[in-house]
Amino acid sequence: MKITERDIFNFVFYPGLLNKEIKAFLASIEESSDAITFYKELKSELEDNLTNEIRAKIKNKIPAYHPLNIIDLHALKETKDKRQNGSRLAAASTELKPKMTTKTFVDNDKEYLIKVLNYGDKTKVFVFSTKDEVVKNFDIIIEPHNLKFHFEDNSEPLKINHLIDAEKIEIRFQ
C-alpha cells in the first residue's frame, strides 16, 4: 500500500475521500506521525477566527485545500433606553414580555449583518450584505440549538413558525 502526502492531507481535512484501508492504516499511526500532527495543527489554526483574506492566502499556498467558506457572526451588545414612556406597575413588571424582540449579528469583517426578529410566536431572519450585493446559495446555522436553514438568496427573509433564541450564527457558502 502506498500512502501519499495527499492521502495524509485528506485524512485530516477530508476523511470521507479516503478508502477504508488507507483510513484505517493512517488512524493506526496517527499518534506517531509528524505529518498527520502537522496537518491537524494546520486545521486547528484554520478553524480559528481567520479573516477571509488570510484563508485565501493559505488556499493559494496549498492547492489541495478547499475550505468551507464559513463566516461566524456574533451578537451586538444590546443598548437599552433607560427612559420609559408611560408607567408600569411594579407587581406586573415581571410578567411583561415584549411582543417583538430583535437581535443583530455581525461578522468580524463587518461584511454581513443578520437580524433575528421574534414577533409573537414566529421568527423572521434577515440576511444583509454590507456591500449591497445579493448573497446566493448559503446556509445559516443558529447556535446553541444547531438549527440549519438554507437560503437560495437573501432577497426574502427566512420565516420560521416558532421563536428562535440565537446566541451565535454561522453563514456557510456552498
Side-chain angles (χ1 to χ4, degrees):
M1 169 177 22
K2 182 180 177 191
I3 303 293
T4 66
E5 188 74 18
R6 176 163 309 257
D7 290 332
I8 296 170
F9 178 86
N10 285 341
F11 176 73
V12 175
F13 285 92
Y14 306 107
L17 297 177
L18 295 174
N19 67 41
K20 291 178 183 178
E21 184 182 345
I22 292 174
K23 191 188 296 187
F25 175 75
L26 290 174
S28 71
I29 64 162
E30 186 172 353
E31 298 300 318
S32 61
S33 171
D34 290 338
I36 294 174
T37 302
F38 168 78
Y39 283 120
K40 281 184 159 189
E41 289 173 1
L42 178 63
K43 183 179 180 186
S44 174
E45 290 294 321
L46 290 173
E47 290 173 347
D48 288 343
N49 293 322
L50 296 178
T51 65
N52 289 336
E53 181 182 340
I54 293 173
R55 288 178 197 263
K57 287 180 182 178
I58 292 171
K59 182 179 177 200
N60 290 335
K61 298 285 184 193
I62 305 174
Y65 178 64
H66 300 287
L68 286 175
N69 197 355
I70 299 174
I71 298 166
D72 290 321
L73 292 94
H74 56 277
L76 289 177
K77 292 182 181 174
E78 296 178 28
T79 58
K80 296 193 178 196
D81 191 3
K82 293 183 181 180
R83 293 175 281 145
Q84 292 278 338
N85 293 335
S87 61
R88 183 178 359 171
L89 298 174
S93 64
T94 59
E95 295 177 19
L96 290 178
K97 290 184 181 177
K99 290 185 178 181
M100 180 174 61
T101 61
T102 62
K103 205 167 195 179
T104 305
F105 296 83
V106 295
D107 64 306
N108 289 337
D109 296 333
K110 308 262 189 297
E111 291 182 17
Y112 297 95
L113 180 135
I114 294 181
K115 270 291 210 204
V116 177
L117 175 88
N118 286 315
Y119 186 79
D121 62 348
K122 298 183 187 317
T123 300
K124 286 187 180 180
V125 179
F126 298 86
V127 179
F128 302 99
S129 165
T130 59
K131 296 177 182 176
D132 292 329
E133 59 190 26
V134 176
V135 185
K136 295 183 178 183
N137 197 22
F138 63 96
D139 295 328
I140 62 167
I141 291 89
I142 301 174
E143 297 293 346
H145 304 293
N146 199 30
L147 300 172
K148 184 176 181 179
F149 301 98
H150 181 74
F151 283 77
E152 290 299 321
D153 63 46
N154 67 332
S155 60
E156 294 287 324
L158 171 68
K159 296 172 185 169
I160 305 168
N161 289 326
H162 55 86
L163 296 178
I164 299 284
D165 182 27
E167 293 178 9
K168 177 186 157 195
I169 298 178
E170 280 183 358
I171 297 176
R172 290 188 182 182
F173 291 98
Q174 304 297 316

